[in-house]
Amino acid sequence: MGSEPPAPEETFKTEHTLKTDEGHRSKGELVAPAEEEDVVEGLEPEDGEVVEIQDEDVEPLKIAPSPIQPSQADVEEHRLTHVPYRSWCPECVEGRGLGEQRGRHAGRAHDIPVVGIDYFYITEHGLQTRSELTFAEDSEGDKLLTDARRKGDIVKCLVIRCYESKNVFAHVVPCKGDDEDKFVANLAVEDLSWLGHVKLILKSDQETAMRALQQRVQKSVNCEMVLSNSKRYDSKSNGKIEKAIQEVEGHVRTLKLHTENHIGQTIPPGHPVMHWMIEYAAELINMFKIIHKRSTPRESLRGKHTLRRLAEFGESVLWLPETWESGRMEKLEPKFEHGVWLGVCPRTDEPIIGTAGGIVRAGTVKR
């Protein structure tokens, strides 16, 4: 018999060695041919060349849960009452279904610090968000709200909270959103600079005024910043800043009641002392509220607790002017002057004193 004709080229090749993560395959082992997308044009392997296939690392795929269909008897029994809620029941989903549950964030630290920012209002009924006010959220409601702010019945405030260190800042602002003088943006920039983050995510809702403020702060702050916005009509997606508003609200309410009981008068929302009361309430939270690892928010950033001796908000105190400390005062004039305790400066830890001539920062204060 003559020699057999050569066999056609087989699907599997044995001339090449496949390099994998598990080691080198021996020569002659069957290797599946590469898919078309794995072959790079112009780089086809030659005889004896080693073909290297690299695995790519990808994030785990999250798939929406698919409800398991029960038996027909269970379906008929559920239709009698539709209790309890079942994800496989179309009527239950349409009538009582909730939004996507993102899960708890405890123990899931962000690689980049997140700082939340939002507005709230001071009224005669306490601190409220825009949705809690009686004014409609339209052009007519905004006009009525502006008139109430001009009369001093309502005061608009800005709250900023670092989700990582739990430090919170609060300020009374003269306008909504960005302003020509950059007053509101400068307040936010100063607070963000105090936090000391070289890179952060600034998160707020999707309100037009707030997004404009975000962009102004991004241009002015001296660090790398990424802007983020919560889901529209979903307050829970920015729940940490809502919690900060509740904390500031509770402490402002306490300081206000304490001061009113001492002076025997009611402090209206538009009174100038409310500006300092709100900032001091946030600073007291930073200085004394214990968070994780038994440290305060300020201590988590500065490494030490405040050593400043405090007085009651609104208390009449004696403070030492800087001119006396430098020896330029006349010997027969009073050494200390009268003032009112209004808070502590976060940057310098100096007491903020209200006097007849204005606001001063004192180095030495006596009760």
mmCIF file of all heavy atoms in Angstrom, residues 170 251-252 255 274-288 308-314 341-345 352:
data_model
loop_
_atom_site.group_PDB
_atom_site.id
_atom_site.type_symbol
_atom_site.label_atom_id
_atom_site.label_comp_id
_atom_site.label_asym_id
_atom_site.label_seq_id
_atom_site.Cartn_x
_atom_site.Cartn_y
_atom_site.Cartn_z
ATOM 1 N N ALA A 170 -21.518 74.906 60.679
ATOM 2 C CA ALA A 170 -22.808 75.520 60.364
ATOM 3 C C ALA A 170 -22.642 77.034 60.325
ATOM 4 O O ALA A 170 -21.940 77.605 61.168
ATOM 5 C CB ALA A 170 -23.865 75.124 61.395
ATOM 6 N N HIS A 251 -28.737 70.911 69.253
ATOM 7 C CA HIS A 251 -27.852 71.696 70.110
ATOM 8 C C HIS A 251 -28.191 73.183 70.054
ATOM 9 O O HIS A 251 -28.083 73.883 71.071
ATOM 10 C CB HIS A 251 -26.399 71.475 69.690
ATOM 11 C CG HIS A 251 -25.456 71.411 70.846
ATOM 12 N ND1 HIS A 251 -25.279 70.292 71.610
ATOM 13 C CD2 HIS A 251 -24.664 72.354 71.402
ATOM 14 C CE1 HIS A 251 -24.400 70.528 72.565
ATOM 15 N NE2 HIS A 251 -24.015 71.779 72.467
ATOM 16 N N VAL A 252 -28.591 73.687 68.899
ATOM 17 C CA VAL A 252 -29.011 75.092 68.803
ATOM 18 C C VAL A 252 -30.262 75.322 69.644
ATOM 19 O O VAL A 252 -30.375 76.339 70.343
ATOM 20 C CB VAL A 252 -29.259 75.480 67.338
ATOM 21 C CG1 VAL A 252 -29.939 76.843 67.244
ATOM 22 C CG2 VAL A 252 -27.944 75.514 66.564
ATOM 23 N N LEU A 255 -29.121 75.526 73.293
ATOM 24 C CA LEU A 255 -28.454 76.791 73.616
ATOM 25 C C LEU A 255 -29.440 77.956 73.625
ATOM 26 O O LEU A 255 -29.350 78.861 74.459
ATOM 27 C CB LEU A 255 -27.337 77.061 72.607
ATOM 28 C CG LEU A 255 -26.132 76.126 72.645
ATOM 29 C CD1 LEU A 255 -25.128 76.511 71.561
ATOM 30 C CD2 LEU A 255 -25.462 76.136 74.008
ATOM 31 N N MET A 274 -28.025 84.744 66.787
ATOM 32 C CA MET A 274 -28.258 83.414 66.237
ATOM 33 C C MET A 274 -27.125 82.987 65.301
ATOM 34 O O MET A 274 -26.832 81.799 65.171
ATOM 35 C CB MET A 274 -29.590 83.378 65.490
ATOM 36 C CG MET A 274 -30.809 83.552 66.384
ATOM 37 S SD MET A 274 -30.963 82.237 67.620
ATOM 38 C CE MET A 274 -31.120 80.800 66.579
ATOM 39 N N HIS A 275 -26.473 83.962 64.650
ATOM 40 C CA HIS A 275 -25.345 83.630 63.778
ATOM 41 C C HIS A 275 -24.252 82.925 64.570
ATOM 42 O O HIS A 275 -23.697 81.906 64.131
ATOM 43 C CB HIS A 275 -24.796 84.905 63.141
ATOM 44 C CG HIS A 275 -25.758 85.574 62.205
ATOM 45 N ND1 HIS A 275 -25.395 86.005 60.946
ATOM 46 C CD2 HIS A 275 -27.069 85.883 62.324
ATOM 47 C CE1 HIS A 275 -26.423 86.553 60.342
ATOM 48 N NE2 HIS A 275 -27.460 86.496 61.167
ATOM 49 N N TRP A 276 -23.935 83.479 65.735
ATOM 50 C CA TRP A 276 -22.860 82.910 66.546
ATOM 51 C C TRP A 276 -23.314 81.653 67.275
ATOM 52 O O TRP A 276 -22.512 80.742 67.511
ATOM 53 C CB TRP A 276 -22.377 83.961 67.553
ATOM 54 C CG TRP A 276 -21.908 85.209 66.875
ATOM 55 C CD1 TRP A 276 -22.573 86.394 66.770
ATOM 56 C CD2 TRP A 276 -20.676 85.383 66.161
ATOM 57 N NE1 TRP A 276 -21.841 87.301 66.050
ATOM 58 C CE2 TRP A 276 -20.658 86.703 65.661
ATOM 59 C CE3 TRP A 276 -19.582 84.552 65.894
ATOM 60 C CZ2 TRP A 276 -19.604 87.214 64.919
ATOM 61 C CZ3 TRP A 276 -18.529 85.050 65.158
ATOM 62 C CH2 TRP A 276 -18.546 86.370 64.684
ATOM 63 N N MET A 277 -24.571 81.587 67.620
ATOM 64 C CA MET A 277 -25.091 80.414 68.329
ATOM 65 C C MET A 277 -25.007 79.167 67.449
ATOM 66 O O MET A 277 -24.648 78.077 67.931
ATOM 67 C CB MET A 277 -26.538 80.664 68.752
ATOM 68 C CG MET A 277 -27.132 79.538 69.595
ATOM 69 S SD MET A 277 -28.849 79.867 70.035
ATOM 70 C CE MET A 277 -28.690 81.328 71.039
ATOM 71 N N ILE A 278 -25.319 79.318 66.163
ATOM 72 C CA ILE A 278 -25.288 78.171 65.253
ATOM 73 C C ILE A 278 -23.858 77.671 65.055
ATOM 74 O O ILE A 278 -23.587 76.463 65.113
ATOM 75 C CB ILE A 278 -25.929 78.561 63.909
ATOM 76 C CG1 ILE A 278 -27.434 78.769 64.102
ATOM 77 C CG2 ILE A 278 -25.668 77.502 62.847
ATOM 78 C CD1 ILE A 278 -28.127 79.302 62.893
ATOM 79 N N GLU A 279 -22.923 78.577 64.844
ATOM 80 C CA GLU A 279 -21.530 78.170 64.652
ATOM 81 C C GLU A 279 -20.970 77.544 65.927
ATOM 82 O O GLU A 279 -20.202 76.563 65.870
ATOM 83 C CB GLU A 279 -20.690 79.374 64.224
ATOM 84 C CG GLU A 279 -21.068 79.928 62.866
ATOM 85 C CD GLU A 279 -20.071 80.963 62.366
ATOM 86 O OE1 GLU A 279 -19.074 81.215 63.090
ATOM 87 O OE2 GLU A 279 -20.288 81.516 61.273
ATOM 88 N N TYR A 280 -21.329 78.093 67.085
ATOM 89 C CA TYR A 280 -20.821 77.559 68.350
ATOM 90 C C TYR A 280 -21.413 76.184 68.637
ATOM 91 O O TYR A 280 -20.738 75.308 69.197
ATOM 92 C CB TYR A 280 -21.144 78.528 69.477
ATOM 93 C CG TYR A 280 -20.459 78.200 70.786
ATOM 94 C CD1 TYR A 280 -19.105 77.860 70.824
ATOM 95 C CD2 TYR A 280 -21.163 78.235 71.985
ATOM 96 C CE1 TYR A 280 -18.477 77.563 72.016
ATOM 97 C CE2 TYR A 280 -20.529 77.957 73.189
ATOM 98 C CZ TYR A 280 -19.190 77.617 73.195
ATOM 99 O OH TYR A 280 -18.560 77.317 74.382
ATOM 100 N N ALA A 281 -22.675 75.966 68.266
ATOM 101 C CA ALA A 281 -23.291 74.653 68.470
ATOM 102 C C ALA A 281 -22.541 73.575 67.688
ATOM 103 O O ALA A 281 -22.278 72.482 68.206
ATOM 104 C CB ALA A 281 -24.758 74.697 68.043
ATOM 105 N N ALA A 282 -22.183 73.881 66.433
ATOM 106 C CA ALA A 282 -21.421 72.921 65.635
ATOM 107 C C ALA A 282 -20.029 72.689 66.227
ATOM 108 O O ALA A 282 -19.528 71.559 66.259
ATOM 109 C CB ALA A 282 -21.312 73.408 64.195
ATOM 110 N N GLU A 283 -19.400 73.763 66.725
ATOM 111 C CA GLU A 283 -18.056 73.627 67.289
ATOM 112 C C GLU A 283 -18.087 72.808 68.580
ATOM 113 O O GLU A 283 -17.151 72.029 68.844
ATOM 114 C CB GLU A 283 -17.470 75.006 67.555
ATOM 115 C CG GLU A 283 -16.028 74.998 68.024
ATOM 116 C CD GLU A 283 -15.093 74.362 67.020
ATOM 117 O OE1 GLU A 283 -15.436 74.284 65.830
ATOM 118 O OE2 GLU A 283 -14.005 73.922 67.431
ATOM 119 N N LEU A 284 -19.115 72.943 69.386
ATOM 120 C CA LEU A 284 -19.228 72.134 70.603
ATOM 121 C C LEU A 284 -19.364 70.654 70.270
ATOM 122 O O LEU A 284 -18.825 69.790 70.973
ATOM 123 C CB LEU A 284 -20.426 72.603 71.430
ATOM 124 C CG LEU A 284 -20.274 73.960 72.118
ATOM 125 C CD1 LEU A 284 -21.579 74.346 72.816
ATOM 126 C CD2 LEU A 284 -19.123 73.959 73.122
ATOM 127 N N ILE A 285 -20.083 70.342 69.190
ATOM 128 C CA ILE A 285 -20.192 68.948 68.752
ATOM 129 C C ILE A 285 -18.828 68.410 68.362
ATOM 130 O O ILE A 285 -18.454 67.281 68.702
ATOM 131 C CB ILE A 285 -21.191 68.841 67.586
ATOM 132 C CG1 ILE A 285 -22.606 69.192 68.056
ATOM 133 C CG2 ILE A 285 -21.167 67.443 66.980
ATOM 134 C CD1 ILE A 285 -23.624 69.251 66.944
ATOM 135 N N ASN A 286 -18.045 69.227 67.639
ATOM 136 C CA ASN A 286 -16.711 68.792 67.215
ATOM 137 C C ASN A 286 -15.771 68.594 68.399
ATOM 138 O O ASN A 286 -14.913 67.704 68.381
ATOM 139 C CB ASN A 286 -16.109 69.815 66.252
ATOM 140 C CG ASN A 286 -16.903 69.959 64.974
ATOM 141 O OD1 ASN A 286 -17.653 69.056 64.595
ATOM 142 N ND2 ASN A 286 -16.769 71.087 64.319
ATOM 143 N N MET A 287 -15.920 69.409 69.430
ATOM 144 C CA MET A 287 -14.982 69.363 70.540
ATOM 145 C C MET A 287 -15.298 68.283 71.569
ATOM 146 O O MET A 287 -14.380 67.755 72.212
ATOM 147 C CB MET A 287 -14.932 70.733 71.241
ATOM 148 C CG MET A 287 -14.260 71.827 70.433
ATOM 149 S SD MET A 287 -13.914 73.306 71.422
ATOM 150 C CE MET A 287 -15.580 73.867 71.788
ATOM 151 N N PHE A 288 -16.586 67.913 71.727
ATOM 152 C CA PHE A 288 -16.938 67.071 72.869
ATOM 153 C C PHE A 288 -17.722 65.816 72.538
ATOM 154 O O PHE A 288 -17.839 64.938 73.399
ATOM 155 C CB PHE A 288 -17.723 67.899 73.885
ATOM 156 C CG PHE A 288 -16.920 69.012 74.478
ATOM 157 C CD1 PHE A 288 -17.106 70.322 74.048
ATOM 158 C CD2 PHE A 288 -15.965 68.772 75.444
ATOM 159 C CE1 PHE A 288 -16.368 71.364 74.583
ATOM 160 C CE2 PHE A 288 -15.216 69.800 75.986
ATOM 161 C CZ PHE A 288 -15.407 71.097 75.554
ATOM 162 N N ARG A 308 -9.035 74.573 75.720
ATOM 163 C CA ARG A 308 -9.646 75.860 76.006
ATOM 164 C C ARG A 308 -10.653 75.747 77.142
ATOM 165 O O ARG A 308 -11.501 74.864 77.156
ATOM 166 C CB ARG A 308 -10.323 76.402 74.745
ATOM 167 C CG ARG A 308 -11.276 77.566 74.950
ATOM 168 C CD ARG A 308 -10.589 78.760 75.575
ATOM 169 N NE ARG A 308 -9.458 79.234 74.766
ATOM 170 C CZ ARG A 308 -8.640 80.196 75.164
ATOM 171 N NH1 ARG A 308 -8.810 80.753 76.357
ATOM 172 N NH2 ARG A 308 -7.650 80.579 74.383
ATOM 173 N N ARG A 309 -10.548 76.658 78.121
ATOM 174 C CA ARG A 309 -11.530 76.749 79.188
ATOM 175 C C ARG A 309 -12.716 77.553 78.683
ATOM 176 O O ARG A 309 -12.549 78.665 78.191
ATOM 177 C CB ARG A 309 -10.912 77.387 80.422
ATOM 178 C CG ARG A 309 -9.762 76.567 81.028
ATOM 179 C CD ARG A 309 -9.168 77.255 82.230
ATOM 180 N NE ARG A 309 -8.089 76.461 82.819
ATOM 181 C CZ ARG A 309 -7.378 76.836 83.873
ATOM 182 N NH1 ARG A 309 -7.640 78.018 84.453
ATOM 183 N NH2 ARG A 309 -6.421 76.064 84.342
ATOM 184 N N LEU A 310 -13.908 77.011 78.858
ATOM 185 C CA LEU A 310 -15.093 77.596 78.253
ATOM 186 C C LEU A 310 -15.972 78.282 79.284
ATOM 187 O O LEU A 310 -15.827 78.084 80.492
ATOM 188 C CB LEU A 310 -15.899 76.505 77.536
ATOM 189 C CG LEU A 310 -15.137 75.660 76.514
ATOM 190 C CD1 LEU A 310 -16.069 74.606 75.934
ATOM 191 C CD2 LEU A 310 -14.555 76.535 75.414
ATOM 192 N N ALA A 311 -16.887 79.083 78.758
ATOM 193 C CA ALA A 311 -17.932 79.714 79.556
ATOM 194 C C ALA A 311 -19.270 79.428 78.896
ATOM 195 O O ALA A 311 -19.329 78.882 77.787
ATOM 196 C CB ALA A 311 -17.684 81.225 79.671
ATOM 197 N N GLU A 312 -20.354 79.766 79.539
ATOM 198 C CA GLU A 312 -21.671 79.552 78.962
ATOM 199 C C GLU A 312 -21.908 80.508 77.796
ATOM 200 O O GLU A 312 -21.415 81.639 77.790
ATOM 201 C CB GLU A 312 -22.756 79.761 80.019
ATOM 202 C CG GLU A 312 -22.685 78.804 81.180
ATOM 203 C CD GLU A 312 -23.764 79.076 82.204
ATOM 204 O OE1 GLU A 312 -24.646 79.908 81.909
ATOM 205 O OE2 GLU A 312 -23.725 78.475 83.286
ATOM 206 N N PHE A 313 -22.662 80.047 76.835
ATOM 207 C CA PHE A 313 -23.005 80.925 75.713
ATOM 208 C C PHE A 313 -23.872 82.077 76.227
ATOM 209 O O PHE A 313 -24.836 81.887 76.953
ATOM 210 C CB PHE A 313 -23.760 80.157 74.629
ATOM 211 C CG PHE A 313 -24.092 81.006 73.433
ATOM 212 C CD1 PHE A 313 -23.171 81.178 72.422
ATOM 213 C CD2 PHE A 313 -25.327 81.642 73.330
ATOM 214 C CE1 PHE A 313 -23.463 81.957 71.325
ATOM 215 C CE2 PHE A 313 -25.626 82.422 72.229
ATOM 216 C CZ PHE A 313 -24.687 82.590 71.228
ATOM 217 N N GLY A 314 -23.492 83.300 75.859
ATOM 218 C CA GLY A 314 -24.217 84.479 76.298
ATOM 219 C C GLY A 314 -23.829 84.964 77.675
ATOM 220 O O GLY A 314 -24.414 85.940 78.171
ATOM 221 N N TRP A 341 -19.705 86.102 75.981
ATOM 222 C CA TRP A 341 -19.117 84.907 75.371
ATOM 223 C C TRP A 341 -20.008 84.419 74.232
ATOM 224 O O TRP A 341 -21.180 84.109 74.429
ATOM 225 C CB TRP A 341 -18.970 83.819 76.428
ATOM 226 C CG TRP A 341 -18.332 82.557 75.923
ATOM 227 C CD1 TRP A 341 -18.931 81.555 75.220
ATOM 228 C CD2 TRP A 341 -16.961 82.164 76.072
ATOM 229 N NE1 TRP A 341 -18.033 80.567 74.934
ATOM 230 C CE2 TRP A 341 -16.813 80.902 75.441
ATOM 231 C CE3 TRP A 341 -15.854 82.740 76.691
ATOM 232 C CZ2 TRP A 341 -15.606 80.208 75.413
ATOM 233 C CZ3 TRP A 341 -14.645 82.062 76.655
ATOM 234 C CH2 TRP A 341 -14.522 80.823 76.023
ATOM 235 N N LEU A 342 -19.432 84.337 73.002
ATOM 236 C CA LEU A 342 -20.191 83.929 71.824
ATOM 237 C C LEU A 342 -19.647 82.674 71.157
ATOM 238 O O LEU A 342 -20.240 82.208 70.178
ATOM 239 C CB LEU A 342 -20.229 85.072 70.795
ATOM 240 C CG LEU A 342 -20.940 86.350 71.236
ATOM 241 C CD1 LEU A 342 -20.857 87.391 70.147
ATOM 242 C CD2 LEU A 342 -22.396 86.072 71.606
ATOM 243 N N GLY A 343 -18.523 82.150 71.635
ATOM 244 C CA GLY A 343 -18.013 80.932 71.012
ATOM 245 C C GLY A 343 -16.510 80.878 70.990
ATOM 246 O O GLY A 343 -15.819 81.642 71.681
ATOM 247 N N VAL A 344 -15.992 79.959 70.153
ATOM 248 C CA VAL A 344 -14.558 79.736 70.029
ATOM 249 C C VAL A 344 -14.218 79.636 68.551
ATOM 250 O O VAL A 344 -14.930 78.971 67.774
ATOM 251 C CB VAL A 344 -14.123 78.444 70.758
ATOM 252 C CG1 VAL A 344 -12.645 78.171 70.555
ATOM 253 C CG2 VAL A 344 -14.438 78.549 72.239
ATOM 254 N N CYS A 345 -13.133 80.274 68.140
ATOM 255 C CA CYS A 345 -12.682 80.211 66.752
ATOM 256 C C CYS A 345 -12.045 78.835 66.502
ATOM 257 O O CYS A 345 -11.124 78.442 67.220
ATOM 258 C CB CYS A 345 -11.673 81.317 66.476
ATOM 259 S SG CYS A 345 -10.994 81.283 64.792
ATOM 260 N N ILE A 352 -14.442 83.993 71.189
ATOM 261 C CA ILE A 352 -15.098 85.055 70.433
ATOM 262 C C ILE A 352 -15.973 85.832 71.414
ATOM 263 O O ILE A 352 -16.881 85.266 72.029
ATOM 264 C CB ILE A 352 -15.932 84.487 69.276
ATOM 265 C CG1 ILE A 352 -15.034 83.702 68.311
ATOM 266 C CG2 ILE A 352 -16.668 85.607 68.548
ATOM 267 C CD1 ILE A 352 -15.800 83.018 67.199
#
